[in-house]
Amino acid sequence: SEMRNLLVKYIRRAQPDLEVIGSAVNGKEALELAREYRPDIVLTDISMPIMDGLEFLNQAFAEGILQKAVIVSGYDEFEYAKKAIVLGVSDYLLKPFDPQELNEVLDKIRKELGKQKVLQDNMQLLKEKVDVNETLLKEQALRDIILGKQTERPEMKYFHMDAAFYCVCLLK
């Protein structure tokens, strides 16, 4: 539709480093696109044939194929807004909206996505550190056993070291 094409043109102009990966005529088509491309941000109307926007978002969030969503709709209905909030929609723009308003919403969402990415990276680094430390502690404990040291490491209580027997390979 005219509105969809305008939206795509506007986003490409206002946010050139955002890649528009597709546009859909209805919710069913939107869901197929989301499954294929797993977009960071989706803009959807509520009123769409075959599957409406709320149904599409509900399904996409349930499948975990969507991070952020903005509803662009002509419905100034509290019930719709309430459903959108429950679904976890980031923003609700009423048509006709000011293009600057959309730009601000996209900026805000990109900042949120950036923060989430930093958090995920930090969590991954922490997990890797913990894994490395756990391996080192297990190695030290096994070295103590081999050397006949009876040192009880307090941190060992966190590891499962019970086994019917151990196989030790000594390499020099």
Side-chain angles (χ1 to χ4, degrees):
S1 77
E2 187 70 24
M3 175 68 185
R4 202 170 60 248
N5 294 338
L6 276 172
L7 209 52
V8 168
K9 270 186 196 154
Y10 174 73
I11 293 168
R12 285 191 173 135
R13 197 171 59 243
Q15 304 261 348
D17 52 340
L18 259 189
E19 187 189 351
V20 180
I21 53 172
S23 68
V25 181
N26 58 57
K28 191 172 177 288
E29 204 178 286
L31 192 57
E32 284 162 14
L33 276 172
R35 281 178 182 144
E36 189 179 344
Y37 293 106
R38 297 181 174 265
D40 294 314
I41 308 167
V42 158
L43 282 89
T44 183
D45 200 333
I46 289 175
S47 174
M48 290 193 289
I50 304 172
M51 179 190 281
D52 75 19
L54 292 173
E55 209 180 322
F56 153 62
L57 290 178
N58 194 17
Q59 187 65 41
F61 278 129
E63 290 182 27
I65 53 176
L66 196 58
Q67 291 207 51
K68 302 282 181 185
V70 177
I71 289 178
V72 180
S73 179
Y75 290 123
D76 187 8
E77 282 286 327
F78 180 66
E79 273 310 304
Y80 286 117
K82 206 163 72 177
K83 282 181 185 162
I85 290 164
V86 169
L87 285 174
V89 167
S90 298
D91 236 300
Y92 195 109
L93 292 174
L94 275 177
K95 289 187 219 169
F97 60 88
D98 173 11
Q100 187 51 38
E101 202 182 345
L102 174 63
N103 206 21
E104 284 163 15
V105 164
L106 290 174
D107 280 340
K108 183 189 85 175
I109 290 174
R110 291 179 66 174
K111 275 197 191 98
E112 286 169 13
L113 285 169
K115 281 183 194 155
Q116 283 175 343
K117 173 90 174 79
V118 168
L119 269 173
Q120 282 168 340
D121 291 350
N122 288 345
M123 289 300 286
Q124 186 55 39
L125 283 172
L126 270 173
K127 189 189 175 306
E128 285 164 15
K129 247 186 169 154
V130 166
D131 290 347
V132 167
N133 286 343
E134 187 175 332
T135 305
L136 282 172
L137 283 168
K138 281 183 178 174
E139 279 178 18
Q140 287 167 353
L142 288 170
R143 196 180 308 118
D144 287 352
I145 293 167
I146 293 163
L147 296 173
K149 289 184 189 170
Q150 292 303 309
T151 51
E152 270 298 309
R153 294 174 183 274
E155 60 272 16
M156 287 317 292
K157 66 175 177 274
Y158 300 114
F159 305 128
H160 177 69
M161 296 288 285
D162 299 330
F165 58 88
Y166 294 95
C167 175
V168 179
C169 177
L170 297 172
L171 301 171
K172 190 173 180 187

